[in-house]
Amino acid sequence: ELSVYDAIESAKIVKDCGVDVLLLSNPYGGNTRLSGVIDFFKKVDDAVDMPMIIYNFPGRTGYNVNPDIVGALLDAVPNICGIKECAERYEQTMELIGRFGDRMAVLSGNEFLGPWELLCGADGAVVATGNVMIKEIVKLYNIAKTGDIAKTSEYGLSLFPLMRTLFKSPNPGPSKYGMILRGFDAGKPTTPCVECEEPVKAEVAAEMKKLGII
């Protein structure tokens, strides 16, 4: 089981490689509480001393870093500069923007909610489908940041079929395949992640062709 010491070792390696910001998930794989979450981030911060973004993905970790916990982390860990919010709770993202938008960047981690969160003040988005539809996601971001609801809806809906297809098999299988179709040497997913099935590959290719990506 990975520990905080594994996280620290990995963080030191990427810092030495020139990485500017850590994307750090809350502890997972075991029971914890607020003091444990704060201690985890503080130990990494004390050992590495570089900007950190909270990666809140309760669907994977089993623990939701809710806004009250985020507030406690901001008070306790000076290097926290943002959050990638993947709780799939629109109201939670809105609360983060309202309470802490002046203290950190609030980034959407969900392409299906991202455009609407951007319209309501999110600073940006970190989404898996951006690895495949690079220019398209940037264009969607730029439209949303103008505040034009109609254009955001129209363009966002045009990208929806490919977004949906890229999650028909567990991520990152479909995204890696899409990257390969674009000419990137993305390789195969590392165990326990798996390649997507042949029918999904065919759908990914078809939707990419419709958008003119390949």
Side-chain angles (χ1 to χ4, degrees):
E1 184 175 340
L2 296 178
S3 69
V4 66
Y5 304 106
D6 296 297
I8 289 170
E9 182 179 356
S10 297
K12 287 180 176 178
I13 291 171
V14 298
K15 183 178 182 180
D16 289 341
C17 290
V19 168
D20 297 312
V21 182
L22 291 177
L23 181 64
L24 188 64
S25 174
N26 55 287
Y28 62 92
N31 292 327
T32 190
R33 55 186 176 187
L34 176 59
S35 59
V37 176
I38 292 175
D39 189 49
F40 179 83
F41 278 88
K42 278 185 63 65
K43 275 186 165 62
V44 176
D45 186 44
D46 291 342
V48 185
D49 188 23
M50 65 183 294
M52 294 188 294
I53 293 175
I54 303 165
Y55 185 9
N56 183 36
F57 198 168
R60 292 274 179 89
T61 66
Y63 189 92
N64 181 31
V65 182
N66 64 45
D68 289 338
I69 297 172
V70 170
L73 283 169
L74 284 170
D75 291 338
V77 186
N79 271 323
I80 289 178
C81 62
I83 184 169
K84 177 184 176 182
E85 180 53 80
C86 299
E88 299 183 355
R89 298 178 180 179
Y90 181 79
E91 74 282 3
Q92 180 161 300
T93 305
M94 295 304 99
E95 185 175 349
L96 289 170
I97 294 169
R99 290 176 61 179
F100 310 118
D102 59 341
R103 298 177 63 187
M104 68 172 187
V106 178
L107 307 172
S108 174
N110 184 296
E111 37 272 282
F112 303 106
L113 291 177
W116 324 115
E117 292 171 338
L118 287 167
L119 284 168
C120 291
D123 296 285
V126 183
V127 292
T129 55
N131 292 292
V132 177
M133 50 173 81
I134 305 166
K135 293 180 180 179
E136 292 74 18
I137 292 294
V138 172
K139 182 178 177 179
L140 180 58
Y141 165 85
N142 287 332
I143 293 172
K145 292 305 284 185
T146 68
D148 191 318
I149 297 173
K151 287 184 178 180
T152 300
S153 300
E154 180 182 9
Y155 191 64
L157 287 172
S158 76
L159 303 182
F160 177 78
L162 178 55
M163 288 180 177
R164 179 186 59 189
T165 301
L166 289 170
F167 287 97
K168 282 197 171 183
S169 185
N171 186 54
S175 289
K176 276 185 171 285
Y177 181 68
M179 292 173 70
I180 290 170
L181 291 180
R182 295 201 56 169
F184 294 104
D185 186 13
K188 295 181 179 181
T190 302
T191 302
C193 298
V194 296
E195 287 189 82
C196 58
E197 303 84 353
E198 291 302 320
V200 176
K201 288 182 178 180
E203 283 194 58
V204 169
E207 294 298 341
M208 290 177 70
K209 288 177 181 176
K210 288 178 184 177
L211 289 174
I213 295 175
I214 57 173

